[in-house]
Amino acid sequence: MATDNLYFWNEFELKQPPLVTLQVEDTGFAKSVFVVINRFLQQLSEPDAMEFDETAALIGRLMARRKNSFRNMPGFRSVCKLNSALCRLLRLDLARDLQQFRGALPDVCDENLGGAMPTRSNFEFILVRLMGFYHLHERIRECCHAAASYFTKLLRNNFFMEFTTLLIAALAKINKLSSAQASRCASLYNKLRPQVPHFPQVAKHKFLKENQELPAKLELIKNTHSQAKETNTPTLVLKPKKVVTKLEKAKLEAKSDVGTIVERKESPAQAVTEVKFNEEVLATVADAQKFIARESKARQQTPVPESCLTKKIPKHEWLGAQTLFQRKLSKDPAKALSIFRKFIVSKIK
């Protein structure tokens, strides 16, 4: 097959041959064709197909809402390509072509009875439409993986948390529903492809050229998780890190051998409450902002309470640390958090 004609199914304005019916002596094979097409059309009207359209519309709205914020990001360009593929799939309208072809099949299908059958060109047009539907879903899944891998990195860095969480959820849902629809389409194509020689052919209305050939079968889409294990590709499911609670830490410390604990009694006048600082309270930018607000409020009290961790830090150094943190936050949040954490640790510990 010529290289120029490998992707003839992707022609935007694919010219449909005229729907012509010819009289044949054996119409028994048309029954299985009618059954599999009818079952596929029923699947297109199931609730998951409606969810696919709703999620596709949500992705289009998210893209239009944030096109000025992310237009230079490679992940957002993948979302734009995904939206184009979804619009192309909507314009394909496979259900209309299948219903039109199914209506041209004879009402009574029997090996001993003749009847009017659509031509081979009409049947080949349906197979090419199925190929287009299948490969468009393949394109959709590629764009979903490319976009999700990029926006997952933003999510890990706490960038645009609400938007990226919603977008990744929509991408995962589109990817799942697309795999199901593509698998059904491949199953229908593989059942219809062997029936090509049974349809009558008209020399004047040939749909495929001499250097064009339909593939023998389409590959069924495997489960996303099993496919990811075989190919070592990341899935769209985010795996959260295990969080160790304070109670679990206390149990682990209790199991460790710390020797014999000697109790030392102190008078109430000599007992001093020691305030310890834990670096984990400054794990994210949001934690640092809460820490600054809490400590600033405590430092304004007279007298300053013992629970104030930054009590011993001079006023000018505390204000300078806040100013530097706010200035670096707009350019590099990770660096701003690192500098502020090192300053606090060096002053308190």
Side-chain angles (χ1 to χ4, degrees), residues 125-142:
F125 174 78
I126 293 299
L127 295 178
V128 172
R129 280 302 195 191
L130 290 174
M131 289 175 56
F133 187 83
Y134 176 84
H135 289 295
L136 273 176
H137 277 288
E138 184 180 17
R139 172 69 169 168
I140 288 171
R141 293 192 303 278
E142 290 176 357

mmCIF file with all atom_site columns, all heavy atoms in Angstrom, residues 125-142:
data_model
loop_
_atom_site.group_PDB
_atom_site.id
_atom_site.type_symbol
_atom_site.label_atom_id
_atom_site.label_alt_id
_atom_site.label_comp_id
_atom_site.label_asym_id
_atom_site.label_entity_id
_atom_site.label_seq_id
_atom_site.pdbx_PDB_ins_code
_atom_site.Cartn_x
_atom_site.Cartn_y
_atom_site.Cartn_z
_atom_site.occupancy
_atom_site.B_iso_or_equiv
_atom_site.pdbx_formal_charge
_atom_site.auth_seq_id
_atom_site.auth_comp_id
_atom_site.auth_asym_id
_atom_site.auth_atom_id
_atom_site.pdbx_PDB_model_num
ATOM 1   N N   . PHE A 1 125 ? -17.162 1.932  2.897  1.00 0.00 ? 125 PHE A N   1
ATOM 2   C CA  . PHE A 1 125 ? -17.254 3.270  3.485  1.00 0.00 ? 125 PHE A CA  1
ATOM 3   C C   . PHE A 1 125 ? -17.554 3.180  4.984  1.00 0.00 ? 125 PHE A C   1
ATOM 4   O O   . PHE A 1 125 ? -16.983 3.928  5.794  1.00 0.00 ? 125 PHE A O   1
ATOM 5   C CB  . PHE A 1 125 ? -18.338 4.071  2.770  1.00 0.00 ? 125 PHE A CB  1
ATOM 6   C CG  . PHE A 1 125 ? -18.603 5.419  3.388  1.00 0.00 ? 125 PHE A CG  1
ATOM 7   C CD1 . PHE A 1 125 ? -17.748 6.482  3.159  1.00 0.00 ? 125 PHE A CD1 1
ATOM 8   C CD2 . PHE A 1 125 ? -19.704 5.617  4.217  1.00 0.00 ? 125 PHE A CD2 1
ATOM 9   C CE1 . PHE A 1 125 ? -17.991 7.725  3.746  1.00 0.00 ? 125 PHE A CE1 1
ATOM 10  C CE2 . PHE A 1 125 ? -19.955 6.850  4.796  1.00 0.00 ? 125 PHE A CE2 1
ATOM 11  C CZ  . PHE A 1 125 ? -19.093 7.909  4.554  1.00 0.00 ? 125 PHE A CZ  1
ATOM 12  N N   . ILE A 1 126 ? -18.431 2.252  5.375  1.00 0.00 ? 126 ILE A N   1
ATOM 13  C CA  . ILE A 1 126 ? -18.734 2.055  6.788  1.00 0.00 ? 126 ILE A CA  1
ATOM 14  C C   . ILE A 1 126 ? -17.491 1.585  7.543  1.00 0.00 ? 126 ILE A C   1
ATOM 15  O O   . ILE A 1 126 ? -17.201 2.053  8.656  1.00 0.00 ? 126 ILE A O   1
ATOM 16  C CB  . ILE A 1 126 ? -19.891 1.049  6.949  1.00 0.00 ? 126 ILE A CB  1
ATOM 17  C CG1 . ILE A 1 126 ? -21.193 1.635  6.392  1.00 0.00 ? 126 ILE A CG1 1
ATOM 18  C CG2 . ILE A 1 126 ? -20.073 0.658  8.402  1.00 0.00 ? 126 ILE A CG2 1
ATOM 19  C CD1 . ILE A 1 126 ? -21.647 2.895  7.091  1.00 0.00 ? 126 ILE A CD1 1
ATOM 20  N N   . LEU A 1 127 ? -16.725 0.678  6.938  1.00 0.00 ? 127 LEU A N   1
ATOM 21  C CA  . LEU A 1 127 ? -15.500 0.192  7.593  1.00 0.00 ? 127 LEU A CA  1
ATOM 22  C C   . LEU A 1 127 ? -14.474 1.307  7.746  1.00 0.00 ? 127 LEU A C   1
ATOM 23  O O   . LEU A 1 127 ? -13.777 1.384  8.770  1.00 0.00 ? 127 LEU A O   1
ATOM 24  C CB  . LEU A 1 127 ? -14.913 -0.971 6.788  1.00 0.00 ? 127 LEU A CB  1
ATOM 25  C CG  . LEU A 1 127 ? -15.754 -2.253 6.721  1.00 0.00 ? 127 LEU A CG  1
ATOM 26  C CD1 . LEU A 1 127 ? -15.077 -3.293 5.844  1.00 0.00 ? 127 LEU A CD1 1
ATOM 27  C CD2 . LEU A 1 127 ? -16.000 -2.820 8.119  1.00 0.00 ? 127 LEU A CD2 1
ATOM 28  N N   . VAL A 1 128 ? -14.374 2.169  6.754  1.00 0.00 ? 128 VAL A N   1
ATOM 29  C CA  . VAL A 1 128 ? -13.443 3.293  6.859  1.00 0.00 ? 128 VAL A CA  1
ATOM 30  C C   . VAL A 1 128 ? -13.891 4.269  7.947  1.00 0.00 ? 128 VAL A C   1
ATOM 31  O O   . VAL A 1 128 ? -13.074 4.833  8.687  1.00 0.00 ? 128 VAL A O   1
ATOM 32  C CB  . VAL A 1 128 ? -13.315 4.005  5.499  1.00 0.00 ? 128 VAL A CB  1
ATOM 33  C CG1 . VAL A 1 128 ? -12.513 5.299  5.626  1.00 0.00 ? 128 VAL A CG1 1
ATOM 34  C CG2 . VAL A 1 128 ? -12.645 3.089  4.489  1.00 0.00 ? 128 VAL A CG2 1
ATOM 35  N N   . ARG A 1 129 ? -15.201 4.463  8.074  1.00 0.00 ? 129 ARG A N   1
ATOM 36  C CA  . ARG A 1 129 ? -15.722 5.305  9.150  1.00 0.00 ? 129 ARG A CA  1
ATOM 37  C C   . ARG A 1 129 ? -15.388 4.711  10.522 1.00 0.00 ? 129 ARG A C   1
ATOM 38  O O   . ARG A 1 129 ? -15.048 5.434  11.463 1.00 0.00 ? 129 ARG A O   1
ATOM 39  C CB  . ARG A 1 129 ? -17.228 5.466  9.010  1.00 0.00 ? 129 ARG A CB  1
ATOM 40  C CG  . ARG A 1 129 ? -17.669 6.494  7.978  1.00 0.00 ? 129 ARG A CG  1
ATOM 41  C CD  . ARG A 1 129 ? -17.110 7.841  8.294  1.00 0.00 ? 129 ARG A CD  1
ATOM 42  N NE  . ARG A 1 129 ? -17.764 8.906  7.559  1.00 0.00 ? 129 ARG A NE  1
ATOM 43  C CZ  . ARG A 1 129 ? -17.325 10.154 7.506  1.00 0.00 ? 129 ARG A CZ  1
ATOM 44  N NH1 . ARG A 1 129 ? -16.210 10.486 8.127  1.00 0.00 ? 129 ARG A NH1 1
ATOM 45  N NH2 . ARG A 1 129 ? -17.963 11.075 6.822  1.00 0.00 ? 129 ARG A NH2 1
ATOM 46  N N   . LEU A 1 130 ? -15.472 3.392  10.639 1.00 0.00 ? 130 LEU A N   1
ATOM 47  C CA  . LEU A 1 130 ? -15.103 2.734  11.890 1.00 0.00 ? 130 LEU A CA  1
ATOM 48  C C   . LEU A 1 130 ? -13.616 2.906  12.183 1.00 0.00 ? 130 LEU A C   1
ATOM 49  O O   . LEU A 1 130 ? -13.216 3.111  13.339 1.00 0.00 ? 130 LEU A O   1
ATOM 50  C CB  . LEU A 1 130 ? -15.459 1.248  11.829 1.00 0.00 ? 130 LEU A CB  1
ATOM 51  C CG  . LEU A 1 130 ? -16.949 0.901  11.849 1.00 0.00 ? 130 LEU A CG  1
ATOM 52  C CD1 . LEU A 1 130 ? -17.147 -0.590 11.627 1.00 0.00 ? 130 LEU A CD1 1
ATOM 53  C CD2 . LEU A 1 130 ? -17.586 1.311  13.171 1.00 0.00 ? 130 LEU A CD2 1
ATOM 54  N N   . MET A 1 131 ? -12.773 2.846  11.137 1.00 0.00 ? 131 MET A N   1
ATOM 55  C CA  . MET A 1 131 ? -11.348 3.090  11.332 1.00 0.00 ? 131 MET A CA  1
ATOM 56  C C   . MET A 1 131 ? -11.096 4.515  11.829 1.00 0.00 ? 131 MET A C   1
ATOM 57  O O   . MET A 1 131 ? -10.273 4.743  12.731 1.00 0.00 ? 131 MET A O   1
ATOM 58  C CB  . MET A 1 131 ? -10.601 2.862  10.014 1.00 0.00 ? 131 MET A CB  1
ATOM 59  C CG  . MET A 1 131 ? -10.506 1.423  9.585  1.00 0.00 ? 131 MET A CG  1
ATOM 60  S SD  . MET A 1 131 ? -9.735  1.266  7.951  1.00 0.00 ? 131 MET A SD  1
ATOM 61  C CE  . MET A 1 131 ? -8.178  2.111  8.214  1.00 0.00 ? 131 MET A CE  1
ATOM 62  N N   . GLY A 1 132 ? -11.798 5.482  11.238 1.00 0.00 ? 132 GLY A N   1
ATOM 63  C CA  . GLY A 1 132 ? -11.642 6.862  11.683 1.00 0.00 ? 132 GLY A CA  1
ATOM 64  C C   . GLY A 1 132 ? -12.062 7.028  13.136 1.00 0.00 ? 132 GLY A C   1
ATOM 65  O O   . GLY A 1 132 ? -11.388 7.718  13.920 1.00 0.00 ? 132 GLY A O   1
ATOM 66  N N   . PHE A 1 133 ? -13.174 6.413  13.518 1.00 0.00 ? 133 PHE A N   1
ATOM 67  C CA  . PHE A 1 133 ? -13.657 6.473  14.899 1.00 0.00 ? 133 PHE A CA  1
ATOM 68  C C   . PHE A 1 133 ? -12.634 5.847  15.849 1.00 0.00 ? 133 PHE A C   1
ATOM 69  O O   . PHE A 1 133 ? -12.347 6.401  16.918 1.00 0.00 ? 133 PHE A O   1
ATOM 70  C CB  . PHE A 1 133 ? -14.995 5.733  14.974 1.00 0.00 ? 133 PHE A CB  1
ATOM 71  C CG  . PHE A 1 133 ? -15.703 5.858  16.290 1.00 0.00 ? 133 PHE A CG  1
ATOM 72  C CD1 . PHE A 1 133 ? -16.494 6.966  16.563 1.00 0.00 ? 133 PHE A CD1 1
ATOM 73  C CD2 . PHE A 1 133 ? -15.608 4.862  17.254 1.00 0.00 ? 133 PHE A CD2 1
ATOM 74  C CE1 . PHE A 1 133 ? -17.168 7.079  17.778 1.00 0.00 ? 133 PHE A CE1 1
ATOM 75  C CE2 . PHE A 1 133 ? -16.275 4.968  18.468 1.00 0.00 ? 133 PHE A CE2 1
ATOM 76  C CZ  . PHE A 1 133 ? -17.054 6.085  18.720 1.00 0.00 ? 133 PHE A CZ  1
ATOM 77  N N   . TYR A 1 134 ? -12.065 4.731  15.447 1.00 0.00 ? 134 TYR A N   1
ATOM 78  C CA  . TYR A 1 134 ? -11.092 4.016  16.278 1.00 0.00 ? 134 TYR A CA  1
ATOM 79  C C   . TYR A 1 134 ? -9.812  4.827  16.467 1.00 0.00 ? 134 TYR A C   1
ATOM 80  O O   . TYR A 1 134 ? -9.316  4.988  17.591 1.00 0.00 ? 134 TYR A O   1
ATOM 81  C CB  . TYR A 1 134 ? -10.790 2.661  15.631 1.00 0.00 ? 134 TYR A CB  1
ATOM 82  C CG  . TYR A 1 134 ? -9.731  1.842  16.325 1.00 0.00 ? 134 TYR A CG  1
ATOM 83  C CD1 . TYR A 1 134 ? -10.051 1.029  17.405 1.00 0.00 ? 134 TYR A CD1 1
ATOM 84  C CD2 . TYR A 1 134 ? -8.415  1.878  15.887 1.00 0.00 ? 134 TYR A CD2 1
ATOM 85  C CE1 . TYR A 1 134 ? -9.084  0.272  18.042 1.00 0.00 ? 134 TYR A CE1 1
ATOM 86  C CE2 . TYR A 1 134 ? -7.433  1.122  16.519 1.00 0.00 ? 134 TYR A CE2 1
ATOM 87  C CZ  . TYR A 1 134 ? -7.775  0.328  17.592 1.00 0.00 ? 134 TYR A CZ  1
ATOM 88  O OH  . TYR A 1 134 ? -6.806  -0.420 18.221 1.00 0.00 ? 134 TYR A OH  1
ATOM 89  N N   . HIS A 1 135 ? -9.266  5.358  15.378 1.00 0.00 ? 135 HIS A N   1
ATOM 90  C CA  . HIS A 1 135 ? -7.994  6.085  15.462 1.00 0.00 ? 135 HIS A CA  1
ATOM 91  C C   . HIS A 1 135 ? -8.161  7.468  16.098 1.00 0.00 ? 135 HIS A C   1
ATOM 92  O O   . HIS A 1 135 ? -7.203  7.985  16.680 1.00 0.00 ? 135 HIS A O   1
ATOM 93  C CB  . HIS A 1 135 ? -7.379  6.213  14.071 1.00 0.00 ? 135 HIS A CB  1
ATOM 94  C CG  . HIS A 1 135 ? -6.858  4.918  13.529 1.00 0.00 ? 135 HIS A CG  1
ATOM 95  N ND1 . HIS A 1 135 ? -5.795  4.238  14.090 1.00 0.00 ? 135 HIS A ND1 1
ATOM 96  C CD2 . HIS A 1 135 ? -7.275  4.154  12.482 1.00 0.00 ? 135 HIS A CD2 1
ATOM 97  C CE1 . HIS A 1 135 ? -5.558  3.137  13.411 1.00 0.00 ? 135 HIS A CE1 1
ATOM 98  N NE2 . HIS A 1 135 ? -6.440  3.050  12.425 1.00 0.00 ? 135 HIS A NE2 1
ATOM 99  N N   . LEU A 1 136 ? -9.330  8.063  15.997 1.00 0.00 ? 136 LEU A N   1
ATOM 100 C CA  . LEU A 1 136 ? -9.568  9.315  16.713 1.00 0.00 ? 136 LEU A CA  1
ATOM 101 C C   . LEU A 1 136 ? -9.534  9.086  18.224 1.00 0.00 ? 136 LEU A C   1
ATOM 102 O O   . LEU A 1 136 ? -8.996  9.903  18.980 1.00 0.00 ? 136 LEU A O   1
ATOM 103 C CB  . LEU A 1 136 ? -10.905 9.920  16.296 1.00 0.00 ? 136 LEU A CB  1
ATOM 104 C CG  . LEU A 1 136 ? -10.886 10.819 15.057 1.00 0.00 ? 136 LEU A CG  1
ATOM 105 C CD1 . LEU A 1 136 ? -12.296 11.263 14.706 1.00 0.00 ? 136 LEU A CD1 1
ATOM 106 C CD2 . LEU A 1 136 ? -10.002 12.032 15.277 1.00 0.00 ? 136 LEU A CD2 1
ATOM 107 N N   . HIS A 1 137 ? -10.103 7.983  18.669 1.00 0.00 ? 137 HIS A N   1
ATOM 108 C CA  . HIS A 1 137 ? -10.033 7.648  20.089 1.00 0.00 ? 137 HIS A CA  1
ATOM 109 C C   . HIS A 1 137 ? -8.589  7.354  20.505 1.00 0.00 ? 137 HIS A C   1
ATOM 110 O O   . HIS A 1 137 ? -8.194  7.648  21.649 1.00 0.00 ? 137 HIS A O   1
ATOM 111 C CB  . HIS A 1 137 ? -10.929 6.459  20.410 1.00 0.00 ? 137 HIS A CB  1
ATOM 112 C CG  . HIS A 1 137 ? -12.360 6.827  20.627 1.00 0.00 ? 137 HIS A CG  1
ATOM 113 N ND1 . HIS A 1 137 ? -12.792 7.503  21.753 1.00 0.00 ? 137 HIS A ND1 1
ATOM 114 C CD2 . HIS A 1 137 ? -13.473 6.634  19.869 1.00 0.00 ? 137 HIS A CD2 1
ATOM 115 C CE1 . HIS A 1 137 ? -14.090 7.703  21.689 1.00 0.00 ? 137 HIS A CE1 1
ATOM 116 N NE2 . HIS A 1 137 ? -14.536 7.176  20.552 1.00 0.00 ? 137 HIS A NE2 1
ATOM 117 N N   . GLU A 1 138 ? -7.812  6.780  19.611 1.00 0.00 ? 138 GLU A N   1
ATOM 118 C CA  . GLU A 1 138 ? -6.400  6.564  19.913 1.00 0.00 ? 138 GLU A CA  1
ATOM 119 C C   . GLU A 1 138 ? -5.676  7.902  20.102 1.00 0.00 ? 138 GLU A C   1
ATOM 120 O O   . GLU A 1 138 ? -4.862  8.068  21.011 1.00 0.00 ? 138 GLU A O   1
ATOM 121 C CB  . GLU A 1 138 ? -5.749  5.757  18.789 1.00 0.00 ? 138 GLU A CB  1
ATOM 122 C CG  . GLU A 1 138 ? -4.302  5.397  19.034 1.00 0.00 ? 138 GLU A CG  1
ATOM 123 C CD  . GLU A 1 138 ? -3.716  4.591  17.886 1.00 0.00 ? 138 GLU A CD  1
ATOM 124 O OE1 . GLU A 1 138 ? -4.316  4.592  16.782 1.00 0.00 ? 138 GLU A OE1 1
ATOM 125 O OE2 . GLU A 1 138 ? -2.661  3.960  18.081 1.00 0.00 ? 138 GLU A OE2 1
ATOM 126 N N   . ARG A 1 139 ? -5.990  8.866  19.252 1.00 0.00 ? 139 ARG A N   1
ATOM 127 C CA  . ARG A 1 139 ? -5.427  10.207 19.376 1.00 0.00 ? 139 ARG A CA  1
ATOM 128 C C   . ARG A 1 139 ? -5.875  10.868 20.680 1.00 0.00 ? 139 ARG A C   1
ATOM 129 O O   . ARG A 1 139 ? -5.078  11.552 21.346 1.00 0.00 ? 139 ARG A O   1
ATOM 130 C CB  . ARG A 1 139 ? -5.884  11.043 18.178 1.00 0.00 ? 139 ARG A CB  1
ATOM 131 C CG  . ARG A 1 139 ? -5.539  12.510 18.233 1.00 0.00 ? 139 ARG A CG  1
ATOM 132 C CD  . ARG A 1 139 ? -4.073  12.740 18.102 1.00 0.00 ? 139 ARG A CD  1
ATOM 133 N NE  . ARG A 1 139 ? -3.760  14.144 17.905 1.00 0.00 ? 139 ARG A NE  1
ATOM 134 C CZ  . ARG A 1 139 ? -2.544  14.661 17.984 1.00 0.00 ? 139 ARG A CZ  1
ATOM 135 N NH1 . ARG A 1 139 ? -1.517  13.876 18.247 1.00 0.00 ? 139 ARG A NH1 1
ATOM 136 N NH2 . ARG A 1 139 ? -2.337  15.947 17.786 1.00 0.00 ? 139 ARG A NH2 1
ATOM 137 N N   . ILE A 1 140 ? -7.116  10.671 21.056 1.00 0.00 ? 140 ILE A N   1
ATOM 138 C CA  . ILE A 1 140 ? -7.646  11.251 22.297 1.00 0.00 ? 140 ILE A CA  1
ATOM 139 C C   . ILE A 1 140 ? -6.885  10.715 23.500 1.00 0.00 ? 140 ILE A C   1
ATOM 140 O O   . ILE A 1 140 ? -6.499  11.467 24.407 1.00 0.00 ? 140 ILE A O   1
ATOM 141 C CB  . ILE A 1 140 ? -9.155  10.952 22.413 1.00 0.00 ? 140 ILE A CB  1
ATOM 142 C CG1 . ILE A 1 140 ? -9.943  11.804 21.399 1.00 0.00 ? 140 ILE A CG1 1
ATOM 143 C CG2 . ILE A 1 140 ? -9.664  11.209 23.822 1.00 0.00 ? 140 ILE A CG2 1
ATOM 144 C CD1 . ILE A 1 140 ? -11.394 11.420 21.282 1.00 0.00 ? 140 ILE A CD1 1
ATOM 145 N N   . ARG A 1 141 ? -6.628  9.420  23.535 1.00 0.00 ? 141 ARG A N   1
ATOM 146 C CA  . ARG A 1 141 ? -5.915  8.842  24.675 1.00 0.00 ? 141 ARG A CA  1
ATOM 147 C C   . ARG A 1 141 ? -4.465  9.322  24.736 1.00 0.00 ? 141 ARG A C   1
ATOM 148 O O   . ARG A 1 141 ? -3.929  9.545  25.826 1.00 0.00 ? 141 ARG A O   1
ATOM 149 C CB  . ARG A 1 141 ? -5.975  7.318  24.609 1.00 0.00 ? 141 ARG A CB  1
ATOM 150 C CG  . ARG A 1 141 ? -7.376  6.755  24.800 1.00 0.00 ? 141 ARG A CG  1
ATOM 151 C CD  . ARG A 1 141 ? -7.337  5.254  25.022 1.00 0.00 ? 141 ARG A CD  1
ATOM 152 N NE  . ARG A 1 141 ? -6.682  4.551  23.932 1.00 0.00 ? 141 ARG A NE  1
ATOM 153 C CZ  . ARG A 1 141 ? -7.273  4.222  22.780 1.00 0.00 ? 141 ARG A CZ  1
ATOM 154 N NH1 . ARG A 1 141 ? -8.538  4.543  22.583 1.00 0.00 ? 141 ARG A NH1 1
ATOM 155 N NH2 . ARG A 1 141 ? -6.619  3.583  21.842 1.00 0.00 ? 141 ARG A NH2 1
ATOM 156 N N   . GLU A 1 142 ? -3.821  9.491  23.592 1.00 0.00 ? 142 GLU A N   1
ATOM 157 C CA  . GLU A 1 142 ? -2.452  10.015 23.580 1.00 0.00 ? 142 GLU A CA  1
ATOM 158 C C   . GLU A 1 142 ? -2.410  11.428 24.157 1.00 0.00 ? 142 GLU A C   1
ATOM 159 O O   . GLU A 1 142 ? -1.519  11.752 24.953 1.00 0.00 ? 142 GLU A O   1
ATOM 160 C CB  . GLU A 1 142 ? -1.908  10.008 22.149 1.00 0.00 ? 142 GLU A CB  1
ATOM 161 C CG  . GLU A 1 142 ? -1.644  8.616  21.593 1.00 0.00 ? 142 GLU A CG  1
ATOM 162 C CD  . GLU A 1 142 ? -1.209  8.667  20.142 1.00 0.00 ? 142 GLU A CD  1
ATOM 163 O OE1 . GLU A 1 142 ? -1.178  9.791  19.568 1.00 0.00 ? 142 GLU A OE1 1
ATOM 164 O OE2 . GLU A 1 142 ? -0.880  7.613  19.577 1.00 0.00 ? 142 GLU A OE2 1
#
